[in-house]
Amino acid sequence: MHLSPEPFSIIDTDIHEAFTSLQDLVPYLQEPWKGLIAREAWRGFAQPFAYWSTGGLSRADAKPEKGPAGSDYALMSKQLLDLYDITYPILTGYFYPAAMQMQFEFAAALACAYNDWLIEHWLDRDPRLRGSIHVAPQDPQAAVREIERLAEHPQMIQVMLPIAQRAYGDPFYHPIFEAAQRHHLVIAMHHTIFVQGALGMGRYYIERHMIIPQSFMSELISLVVNGVFDLFPDLHFALLEGGFSWLPHLMWRFEREYKSLHQEIPWVKRNPAQHIRERVKFSTQPTEDLSAQNWLRLMDMMGSDQMLMFASDYPHFDFDSPQESIPHDLPERVRQRIFFENANDLYHFEQVR
Amino acid sequence: MHLSPEPFSIIDTDIHEAFTSLQDLVPYLQEPWKGLIAREAWRGFAQPFAYWSTGGLSRADAKPEKGPAGSDYALMSKQLLDLYDITYPILTGYFYPAAMQMQFEFAAALACAYNDWLIEHWLDRDPRLRGSIHVAPQDPQAAVREIERLAEHPQMIQVMLPIAQRAYGDPFYHPIFEAAQRHHLVIAMHHTIFVQGALGMGRYYIERHMIIPQSFMSELISLVVNGVFDLFPDLHFALLEGGFSWLPHLMWRFEREYKSLHQEIPWVKRNPAQHIRERVKFSTQPTEDLSAQNWLRLMDMMGSDQMLMFASDYPHFDFDSPQESIPHDLPERVRQRIFFENANDLYHFEQVR
């Protein structure tokens, strides 16, 4: 079954594949890590809150017979890839060793194992799929080695830096940016279950879900003030699932702050808003209920119609359908930018016609 | 000297008065607190960063001969109250005992002393001035006693809950809201030097100044999800110096989240955006460089032209002049709302004509 396809290709920039269980990684691990997982010395991440939606974190209908939502290629094909005719589905994972707060060598080993599992179980299986290189940024040198190991894989398009409580502008992480730039890889960021807001995690899941965008704001600010855009002029960023309607605010405020306080950060040579406008793209999911007029106003306020990229967030509960999330009364040209061109400008899947 | 006054009265909702030194509070303290200050056993708050502007935190020209900027009534009158013919200048302080992380009884004593000093040195001196009741929310019962003590003072119009790292929606603070509502006092919030963002304080002052709005977002979210708007239906809020151009984002996202996750917070009976729209007003300073068109678009996106109130932030370095910060090509009706009516609706200084 196909749902009335768009007259242009669709790039889905945020799809969460999953393993059946942590045990799936055992074949890809060396000792001592192999044994730790095999004997369940560590049981994986657990979010410190309950999901209230019917299917928990995920769409209730996305759960396969065996394993969690997102772990079954056939079901994902049926519900997403084939149904909506996604030309370039980008896998972003949701098991993020970056979130480990201890035992960094273990985190680095898990990232390698996950990448090998991802290649064998997903990328090798469907040439449409694109993958994210997972790393443990808490050990930047190990992260660089992992980037070097996989950068030439034709389906690996970006390095994933998950957002927990690390501010990635910090020079500690710059070797990761250097390696990504050298290999023409995008830097993707996605929040984790450990993300917080300005006043912590909050008392409710809805509260925590409301504050997720703050962590993206803080990462953007951190990247700017630490000069990452100036130091790595060929590096581009994909900020996934953090929203975008706060961007006019952040860019305006940054312009004002830069005017009065730029002397504190003389290594930042350009208006921060311009850095962001040219170097960062944002996935649309979870879209708010915006009229076409407000989509256009926001893009005008951001000063660009080239910053937004469609994402479905399959299989999570707040999935955005390509059919419904982007208003049909937006100009076709803008829809094409959101569904294809902006992401293609970032990832260079196809030559510009 | 008067600068071409507006055809309507001006309310300035955020003016920072200051004492000459902490020693000014000694006459208003009892022992043992009196002695602690007198012998400099505590030296007051100190921000853990350097201010880069020429005058530090404040306008370079606002420093009187003796004491810090904001401590001289005559200079404030000359540079602000008389110059711009401010009909209702609202003093919001900047010495916030709420930010003390230990010794809560001491914090409560300091709040009382500050209020007594404020009345004698400012409110008694100029009937135009309005004041904020300072409290130590870390000891809610002491805060309630202080509200009771001063609620009937004719120039005291609000209770100040400064933002550091406390999420005020927490039921722990609800007695403060109960007392404020009972006395028809507004709840004002203003950030402190200890405010953080989703990833902490950052590495630079400009970074910290960029993340201030996140703390206001988190407070709003906390108030909503904990049912403060539902529990205290007559309570209104003034959020000062935290920006406002992020409101469309926050309100849209809250509407969406509430649709899918309201079952987690069944005590919240209304669309959170509607609660915010009707019960919270925001000061304009620091205004970003917005065109009149974007001011109008933002108000349209917020669904209200009744949420914004002018503030100068005198004497701080990013002072907004009433002459320059609100575009002159905004409709006169909107300018009147921002400069007077919206704040008057909140504080009821004058009967509606």
Side-chain angles (χ1 to χ4, degrees), chain B residues 303-340:
Chain B
S304 172
D305 62 358
Q306 300 178 35
M307 298 170 74
L308 303 181
M309 311 184 293
F310 171 75
S312 71
D313 193 37
Y314 180 90
H316 292 166
F317 78 93
D318 47 353
F319 172 80
D320 271 358
S321 154
Q323 294 288 311
E324 294 166 27
S325 59
I326 314 293
H328 287 271
D329 51 342
L330 273 177
E332 197 64 6
R333 176 86 189 114
V334 172
R335 286 173 60 82
Q336 186 165 357
R337 283 222 155 274
I338 295 171
F339 278 113
F340 182 79

Short mmCIF file of all heavy atoms in Angstrom, two decimals, chain B residues 303-340:
data_model
loop_
_atom_site.label_atom_id
_atom_site.label_comp_id
_atom_site.label_asym_id
_atom_site.label_seq_id
_atom_site.Cartn_x
_atom_site.Cartn_y
_atom_site.Cartn_z
N GLY B 303 -1.79 34.93 20.51
CA GLY B 303 -3.24 34.98 20.65
C GLY B 303 -3.71 36.08 21.58
O GLY B 303 -4.81 36.01 22.12
N SER B 304 -2.87 37.10 21.78
CA SER B 304 -3.25 38.16 22.71
C SER B 304 -2.32 39.36 22.53
O SER B 304 -1.11 39.20 22.36
CB SER B 304 -3.14 37.66 24.15
OG SER B 304 -3.31 38.73 25.06
N ASP B 305 -2.89 40.55 22.62
CA ASP B 305 -2.05 41.76 22.68
C ASP B 305 -2.06 42.32 24.10
O ASP B 305 -1.73 43.47 24.32
CB ASP B 305 -2.54 42.81 21.67
CG ASP B 305 -3.96 43.28 21.95
OD1 ASP B 305 -4.59 42.77 22.90
OD2 ASP B 305 -4.44 44.16 21.22
N GLN B 306 -2.43 41.46 25.06
CA GLN B 306 -2.56 41.92 26.44
C GLN B 306 -1.53 41.30 27.37
O GLN B 306 -1.68 41.32 28.59
CB GLN B 306 -3.98 41.63 26.94
CG GLN B 306 -5.01 42.35 26.06
CD GLN B 306 -6.44 42.06 26.48
OE1 GLN B 306 -6.72 41.91 27.65
NE2 GLN B 306 -7.34 42.01 25.51
N MET B 307 -0.47 40.73 26.81
CA MET B 307 0.49 40.02 27.65
C MET B 307 1.81 40.76 27.87
O MET B 307 2.60 40.33 28.70
CB MET B 307 0.79 38.64 27.02
CG MET B 307 -0.45 37.75 26.94
SD MET B 307 -0.16 36.26 25.95
CE MET B 307 0.85 35.32 27.10
N LEU B 308 2.06 41.82 27.14
CA LEU B 308 3.37 42.47 27.21
C LEU B 308 3.30 43.81 27.94
O LEU B 308 2.37 44.60 27.74
CB LEU B 308 3.92 42.69 25.79
CG LEU B 308 4.06 41.41 24.95
CD1 LEU B 308 4.64 41.74 23.58
CD2 LEU B 308 4.91 40.38 25.66
N MET B 309 4.29 44.04 28.79
CA MET B 309 4.35 45.26 29.59
C MET B 309 5.74 45.87 29.43
O MET B 309 6.76 45.17 29.55
CB MET B 309 4.17 44.94 31.09
CG MET B 309 2.99 44.04 31.41
SD MET B 309 2.77 43.82 33.20
CE MET B 309 4.26 42.88 33.65
N PHE B 310 5.79 47.17 29.23
CA PHE B 310 7.08 47.83 29.09
C PHE B 310 7.91 47.73 30.38
O PHE B 310 7.38 47.81 31.49
CB PHE B 310 6.89 49.31 28.74
CG PHE B 310 8.18 50.07 28.81
CD1 PHE B 310 9.13 49.93 27.81
CD2 PHE B 310 8.48 50.87 29.90
CE1 PHE B 310 10.34 50.59 27.89
CE2 PHE B 310 9.70 51.54 29.99
CZ PHE B 310 10.62 51.40 28.98
N ALA B 311 9.21 47.56 30.21
CA ALA B 311 10.16 47.64 31.32
C ALA B 311 11.44 48.25 30.80
O ALA B 311 11.83 48.02 29.65
CB ALA B 311 10.44 46.27 31.92
N SER B 312 12.09 49.05 31.64
CA SER B 312 13.36 49.68 31.23
C SER B 312 14.57 48.88 31.71
O SER B 312 15.63 48.94 31.12
CB SER B 312 13.46 51.09 31.78
OG SER B 312 13.66 51.05 33.20
N ASP B 313 14.41 48.18 32.85
CA ASP B 313 15.53 47.51 33.50
C ASP B 313 16.58 48.49 34.02
O ASP B 313 17.72 48.11 34.26
CB ASP B 313 16.17 46.48 32.57
CG ASP B 313 17.12 45.53 33.29
OD1 ASP B 313 16.81 45.15 34.44
OD2 ASP B 313 18.17 45.18 32.73
N TYR B 314 16.20 49.75 34.19
CA TYR B 314 17.14 50.71 34.78
C TYR B 314 17.68 50.16 36.09
O TYR B 314 16.90 49.61 36.88
CB TYR B 314 16.44 52.05 35.03
CG TYR B 314 17.35 53.10 35.64
CD1 TYR B 314 18.08 53.95 34.85
CD2 TYR B 314 17.50 53.18 37.02
CE1 TYR B 314 18.94 54.89 35.40
CE2 TYR B 314 18.37 54.12 37.60
CZ TYR B 314 19.09 54.96 36.77
OH TYR B 314 19.94 55.88 37.32
N PRO B 315 18.97 50.29 36.42
CA PRO B 315 20.03 50.95 35.67
C PRO B 315 20.94 49.98 34.92
O PRO B 315 22.09 50.31 34.66
CB PRO B 315 20.81 51.61 36.81
CG PRO B 315 20.75 50.57 37.91
CD PRO B 315 19.41 49.88 37.76
N HIS B 316 20.45 48.81 34.56
CA HIS B 316 21.36 47.80 34.02
C HIS B 316 21.81 48.12 32.59
O HIS B 316 21.19 48.94 31.91
CB HIS B 316 20.72 46.41 34.13
CG HIS B 316 20.60 45.96 35.57
ND1 HIS B 316 19.83 44.90 35.98
CD2 HIS B 316 21.17 46.47 36.70
CE1 HIS B 316 19.93 44.78 37.30
NE2 HIS B 316 20.73 45.70 37.75
N PHE B 317 22.87 47.48 32.19
CA PHE B 317 23.58 47.89 30.96
C PHE B 317 22.72 47.75 29.70
O PHE B 317 22.91 48.46 28.73
CB PHE B 317 24.88 47.09 30.81
CG PHE B 317 24.69 45.68 30.29
CD1 PHE B 317 24.78 45.42 28.93
CD2 PHE B 317 24.43 44.62 31.16
CE1 PHE B 317 24.61 44.12 28.45
CE2 PHE B 317 24.24 43.34 30.68
CZ PHE B 317 24.33 43.08 29.32
N ASP B 318 21.76 46.82 29.76
CA ASP B 318 20.93 46.62 28.57
C ASP B 318 19.58 47.34 28.70
O ASP B 318 18.57 46.91 28.14
CB ASP B 318 20.76 45.13 28.27
CG ASP B 318 20.38 44.32 29.50
OD1 ASP B 318 20.37 44.88 30.62
OD2 ASP B 318 20.11 43.11 29.35
N PHE B 319 19.60 48.43 29.44
CA PHE B 319 18.48 49.37 29.59
C PHE B 319 17.72 49.57 28.27
O PHE B 319 18.31 49.76 27.22
CB PHE B 319 19.06 50.70 30.06
CG PHE B 319 18.08 51.85 30.09
CD1 PHE B 319 17.21 52.00 31.16
CD2 PHE B 319 18.05 52.80 29.07
CE1 PHE B 319 16.31 53.07 31.20
CE2 PHE B 319 17.16 53.87 29.11
CZ PHE B 319 16.29 54.00 30.17
N ASP B 320 16.39 49.50 28.37
CA ASP B 320 15.54 49.82 27.20
C ASP B 320 14.89 51.18 27.42
O ASP B 320 14.10 51.36 28.36
CB ASP B 320 14.43 48.77 27.05
CG ASP B 320 14.85 47.59 26.20
OD1 ASP B 320 15.99 47.58 25.70
OD2 ASP B 320 14.03 46.66 26.04
N SER B 321 15.20 52.10 26.57
CA SER B 321 14.57 53.42 26.66
C SER B 321 13.12 53.35 26.16
O SER B 321 12.84 52.71 25.15
CB SER B 321 15.36 54.41 25.80
OG SER B 321 14.52 55.46 25.38
N PRO B 322 12.20 54.02 26.87
CA PRO B 322 10.82 54.07 26.36
C PRO B 322 10.76 54.73 24.99
O PRO B 322 9.84 54.49 24.21
CB PRO B 322 10.08 54.93 27.40
CG PRO B 322 10.95 55.00 28.60
CD PRO B 322 12.35 54.75 28.14
N GLN B 323 11.75 55.55 24.71
CA GLN B 323 11.79 56.25 23.43
C GLN B 323 12.13 55.33 22.27
O GLN B 323 11.75 55.58 21.14
CB GLN B 323 12.86 57.35 23.48
CG GLN B 323 12.55 58.46 24.43
CD GLN B 323 11.43 59.33 23.91
OE1 GLN B 323 11.47 59.74 22.76
NE2 GLN B 323 10.42 59.57 24.72
N GLU B 324 12.92 54.30 22.55
CA GLU B 324 13.53 53.59 21.43
C GLU B 324 13.21 52.11 21.35
O GLU B 324 13.37 51.50 20.31
CB GLU B 324 15.07 53.74 21.53
CG GLU B 324 15.52 55.16 21.32
CD GLU B 324 16.97 55.40 21.74
OE1 GLU B 324 17.76 54.44 21.70
OE2 GLU B 324 17.29 56.54 22.12
N SER B 325 12.77 51.51 22.45
CA SER B 325 12.70 50.05 22.43
C SER B 325 11.42 49.51 21.80
O SER B 325 11.40 48.39 21.30
CB SER B 325 12.84 49.51 23.86
OG SER B 325 11.81 50.02 24.69
N ILE B 326 10.35 50.30 21.83
CA ILE B 326 9.09 49.83 21.25
C ILE B 326 8.87 50.62 19.96
O ILE B 326 8.78 51.85 20.00
CB ILE B 326 7.90 50.08 22.22
CG1 ILE B 326 8.25 49.65 23.66
CG2 ILE B 326 6.63 49.40 21.71
CD1 ILE B 326 8.44 48.17 23.86
N PRO B 327 8.79 49.94 18.82
CA PRO B 327 8.77 50.66 17.54
C PRO B 327 7.66 51.71 17.48
O PRO B 327 6.52 51.45 17.88
CB PRO B 327 8.56 49.56 16.50
CG PRO B 327 9.03 48.32 17.15
CD PRO B 327 8.75 48.49 18.62
N HIS B 328 8.01 52.86 16.94
CA HIS B 328 7.03 53.95 16.83
C HIS B 328 5.99 53.66 15.76
O HIS B 328 4.93 54.28 15.75
CB HIS B 328 7.74 55.27 16.57
CG HIS B 328 8.46 55.79 17.77
ND1 HIS B 328 7.86 56.62 18.70
CD2 HIS B 328 9.71 55.55 18.24
CE1 HIS B 328 8.73 56.88 19.67
NE2 HIS B 328 9.85 56.24 19.42
N ASP B 329 6.30 52.76 14.85
CA ASP B 329 5.32 52.47 13.82
C ASP B 329 4.37 51.33 14.20
O ASP B 329 3.61 50.84 13.38
CB ASP B 329 5.99 52.20 12.46
CG ASP B 329 7.10 51.17 12.54
OD1 ASP B 329 7.60 50.90 13.67
OD2 ASP B 329 7.48 50.63 11.50
N LEU B 330 4.41 50.93 15.47
CA LEU B 330 3.33 50.06 15.96
C LEU B 330 2.06 50.90 16.10
O LEU B 330 2.15 52.09 16.41
CB LEU B 330 3.69 49.49 17.34
CG LEU B 330 4.49 48.21 17.39
CD1 LEU B 330 4.81 47.85 18.85
CD2 LEU B 330 3.76 47.06 16.72
N PRO B 331 0.90 50.32 15.90
CA PRO B 331 -0.34 51.08 16.09
C PRO B 331 -0.37 51.71 17.50
O PRO B 331 0.05 51.07 18.48
CB PRO B 331 -1.44 50.03 15.94
CG PRO B 331 -0.82 48.95 15.11
CD PRO B 331 0.63 48.94 15.46
N GLU B 332 -0.84 52.93 17.58
CA GLU B 332 -0.90 53.65 18.85
C GLU B 332 -1.60 52.82 19.93
O GLU B 332 -1.20 52.79 21.09
CB GLU B 332 -1.64 54.98 18.63
CG GLU B 332 -1.41 55.99 19.73
CD GLU B 332 0.05 56.45 19.84
OE1 GLU B 332 0.89 56.05 18.99
OE2 GLU B 332 0.36 57.16 20.81
N ARG B 333 -2.63 52.12 19.52
CA ARG B 333 -3.39 51.29 20.46
C ARG B 333 -2.51 50.21 21.09
O ARG B 333 -2.62 49.90 22.29
CB ARG B 333 -4.56 50.65 19.69
CG ARG B 333 -5.39 49.70 20.48
CD ARG B 333 -6.47 50.43 21.25
NE ARG B 333 -7.14 49.52 22.18
CZ ARG B 333 -7.06 49.65 23.50
NH1 ARG B 333 -6.41 50.65 24.05
NH2 ARG B 333 -7.68 48.80 24.29
N VAL B 334 -1.63 49.63 20.29
CA VAL B 334 -0.74 48.58 20.79
C VAL B 334 0.33 49.17 21.69
O VAL B 334 0.64 48.63 22.77
CB VAL B 334 -0.11 47.81 19.61
CG1 VAL B 334 0.96 46.84 20.10
CG2 VAL B 334 -1.18 47.08 18.81
N ARG B 335 0.86 50.32 21.30
CA ARG B 335 1.85 50.99 22.16
C ARG B 335 1.25 51.33 23.52
O ARG B 335 1.88 51.16 24.56
CB ARG B 335 2.38 52.26 21.48
CG ARG B 335 3.34 51.97 20.33
CD ARG B 335 3.72 53.23 19.56
NE ARG B 335 4.36 54.24 20.38
CZ ARG B 335 5.67 54.26 20.70
NH1 ARG B 335 6.45 53.29 20.28
NH2 ARG B 335 6.17 55.23 21.44
N GLN B 336 0.01 51.78 23.49
CA GLN B 336 -0.67 52.12 24.74
C GLN B 336 -0.85 50.87 25.62
O GLN B 336 -0.69 50.91 26.83
CB GLN B 336 -2.01 52.77 24.43
CG GLN B 336 -2.73 53.29 25.66
CD GLN B 336 -3.87 54.24 25.32
OE1 GLN B 336 -4.08 54.55 24.15
NE2 GLN B 336 -4.59 54.69 26.33
N ARG B 337 -1.18 49.77 24.98
CA ARG B 337 -1.30 48.51 25.72
C ARG B 337 0.02 48.16 26.39
O ARG B 337 0.07 47.79 27.56
CB ARG B 337 -1.70 47.36 24.78
CG ARG B 337 -3.17 47.34 24.41
CD ARG B 337 -3.72 45.91 24.44
NE ARG B 337 -5.15 45.92 24.66
CZ ARG B 337 -5.74 45.96 25.85
NH1 ARG B 337 -5.02 45.97 26.96
NH2 ARG B 337 -7.04 45.97 25.95
N ILE B 338 1.12 48.25 25.62
CA ILE B 338 2.43 47.85 26.14
C ILE B 338 2.93 48.82 27.21
O ILE B 338 3.45 48.41 28.25
CB ILE B 338 3.45 47.74 24.98
CG1 ILE B 338 3.05 46.60 24.04
CG2 ILE B 338 4.87 47.53 25.52
CD1 ILE B 338 3.86 46.54 22.75
N PHE B 339 2.77 50.11 26.98
CA PHE B 339 3.30 51.09 27.93
C PHE B 339 2.43 51.27 29.17
O PHE B 339 2.92 51.65 30.22
CB PHE B 339 3.48 52.46 27.25
CG PHE B 339 4.76 52.58 26.47
CD1 PHE B 339 4.74 52.69 25.09
CD2 PHE B 339 5.99 52.56 27.12
CE1 PHE B 339 5.93 52.80 24.37
CE2 PHE B 339 7.18 52.67 26.42
CZ PHE B 339 7.15 52.79 25.03
N PHE B 340 1.14 50.97 29.05
CA PHE B 340 0.29 51.25 30.21
C PHE B 340 -0.79 50.20 30.50
O PHE B 340 -0.83 49.63 31.58
CB PHE B 340 -0.37 52.64 30.06
CG PHE B 340 -1.21 53.01 31.24
CD1 PHE B 340 -0.62 53.49 32.41
CD2 PHE B 340 -2.59 52.84 31.23
CE1 PHE B 340 -1.39 53.79 33.53
CE2 PHE B 340 -3.36 53.15 32.35
CZ PHE B 340 -2.76 53.63 33.50
#
